[in-house]
Amino acid sequence: MSNPRVLCLGEILFDCLADQLGLKLEEVKSWTPYPGGAPANVACALVKLGTSAGFIGAVGEDEPGNQLVKLLTEVGVDTTGVQRYSTAPTRQVYVLRDLAGDRNFAGFGEYDSSEFADTRLQAQQLPEALFAEADFLVLGTLELAYPESEQAVHQALKLAELYDLKIILDVNWRPVFWQDANVARQKISEIFKQVDFLKLSKEEAEWLFNTTDPGAITYRLNSIEGVLVTDGENGCAYCLGENEGHLPSYRVNVVDTTGAGDSFLAGFIHRLCQYGIKSLQDAEVAKSIVAYANAVGALTTIKPGAIASQPTGAEVDAFLASPEVE
């Protein structure tokens, strides 16, 4: 297998989704575990669309860790960068869902957030050979919350710069992972100057920049090549190259929104790999790339789970070609 074009660094875990909708944590009677974790979701979605990807992260030497590594392998994600730890468990996150299927992270069960294996990711064990051959590095921000994995993130940024990878940051702000929101804002903001593309939710944009205008964010960051601001069912605003716009989301029957933003990002990167970054200077190409990403995100919401629900490239093409899609 050739080295992957896209490296996704961060957490892989089990989202334990509440089987009963609209209930509080203590009221939920049963949970169903689904593989997830934003960078792992992006890696899997990319492979299903047809772009090679590798995952870099840490899991426990336990049965959940075994299941997640097996899943990555079965999907076709490169696992050279996966580290295993016997002294820390694989992360599980409990996720509540409202009556519309939208999710809310509710905690980590019996463990403290800092006790999981993904926080142990070691900088010196990152496989440099992968960086030497890749084109893109995708990062979340959750691993900045813990000292060891934070060092690994900064080492990955150094390797990406050394080998001239384009860096894509998905803010993926989750307060439950952090002890102090102000520290989180500072650590996240510090790496903006190293990033080429930035994806934020509307809420994250307001939190970090006091605006949801991707053009204004691009202007403020100066060195960035593209900003995507997603807003769930309301679609995505973008500034790519010199082109700004907003595209509504596609209307589908939503079952579970978990991982939709990650699939959206994978769709964007997949198309970027196909067209090349210079193509973003063309307004129609930039618009079509975002439309494709919207379709990938929408199709991920029609089934439960972040990875199991991801569409293939053929399914996205069929969806976009269907008469119901405007």
Side-chain angles (χ1 to χ4, degrees):
M1 182 168 134
S2 59
N3 283 331
R5 289 191 70 181
V6 183
L7 304 179
C8 302
L9 184 147
E11 69 283 356
I12 187 169
L13 47 79
F14 275 103
D15 287 317
C16 298
L17 267 60
D19 292 326
Q20 297 80 37
L21 303 184
L23 298 184
K24 297 176 182 176
L25 178 65
E26 60 274 13
E27 297 172 337
V28 175
K29 296 179 178 63
S30 60
W31 309 79
T32 299
Y34 290 96
N41 293 344
V42 174
C44 289
L46 278 166
V47 171
K48 292 182 184 184
L49 293 172
T51 293
S52 58
F55 175 73
I56 299 173
V59 294
E61 285 184 351
D62 50 19
E63 188 50 35
N66 293 340
Q67 291 177 23
L68 292 172
V69 174
K70 183 182 179 205
L71 171 68
L72 290 173
T73 304
E74 288 174 346
V75 170
V77 174
D78 186 293
T79 58
T80 307
V82 175
Q83 301 175 18
R84 304 293 300 265
Y85 289 92
S86 60
T87 55
T90 300
R91 188 182 294 271
Q92 297 188 72
V93 182
Y94 289 86
V95 183
L96 299 175
R97 293 188 288 168
D98 66 19
L99 294 174
D102 288 326
R103 70 217 187 286
N104 180 45
F105 292 88
F108 304 103
E110 62 190 84
Y111 293 101
D112 181 81
S113 181
S114 64
E115 295 181 82
F116 293 101
D118 60 274
T119 71
R120 309 288 199 270
L121 186 65
Q122 299 297 300
Q124 66 272 22
Q125 293 182 33
L126 299 186
E128 186 170 341
L130 288 183
F131 288 82
E133 299 295 329
D135 295 321
F136 293 92
L137 172 65
V138 180
L139 293 171
T141 65
L142 302 185
E143 301 307 334
L144 294 172
Y146 315 101
E148 289 175 285
S149 53
E150 181 185 16
Q151 289 181 10
V153 169
H154 286 286
Q155 174 65 9
L157 287 167
K158 289 178 184 175
L159 289 170
E161 184 177 359
L162 177 65
Y163 291 106
D164 200 26
L165 278 66
K166 293 294 183 180
I167 298 166
I168 301 172
L169 180 68
D170 179 3
V171 171
N172 198 31
W173 161 243
R174 299 284 181 264
V176 71
F177 283 77
W178 295 82
Q179 292 185 331
D180 187 326
N182 291 322
V183 171
R185 185 190 284 110
Q186 178 187 348
K187 287 183 181 293
I188 293 168
S189 299
E190 282 172 357
I191 63 174
F192 284 152
K193 60 183 177 293
Q194 297 171 268
V195 170
D196 298 292
F197 292 91
L198 179 63
K199 175 192 165 287
L200 318 99
S201 68
K202 179 183 176 183
E203 295 77 15
E204 290 164 349
E206 289 172 342
W207 178 56
L208 290 163
F209 296 101
N210 295 314
T211 179
T212 60
D213 181 345
I217 295 169
T218 301
Y219 179 79
R220 198 175 307 177
L221 293 179
N222 192 24
S223 61
I224 207 152
E225 297 185 48
V227 174
L228 303 160
V229 179
T230 59
D231 187 18
E233 63 183 16
N234 297 313
C236 173
Y238 62 90
C239 181
L240 298 168
E242 299 293 318
N243 300 302
E244 294 185 53
H246 176 274
L247 287 178
S249 62
Y250 295 104
R251 298 202 175 278
V252 295
N253 294 320
V254 174
V255 171
D256 175 25
T257 60
T258 306
D262 305 324
S263 290
F264 168 91
L265 183 58
F268 173 76
I269 298 167
H270 174 64
R271 276 301 206 230
L272 209 53
C273 286
Q274 290 181 321
Y275 286 108
I277 289 174
K278 288 183 180 179
S279 69
L280 295 176
Q281 301 302 325
D282 183 312
E284 286 305 309
V285 172
K287 181 179 178 181
S288 74
I289 289 175
V290 176
Y292 185 91
N294 271 352
V296 182
L299 289 173
T300 300
T301 69
I302 63 178
K303 291 183 279 189
I307 294 174
S309 59
Q310 293 166 340
T312 63
E315 287 170 334
V316 179
D317 292 340
F319 174 76
L320 289 172
S322 62
E324 303 86 55
V325 174
E326 298 177 2

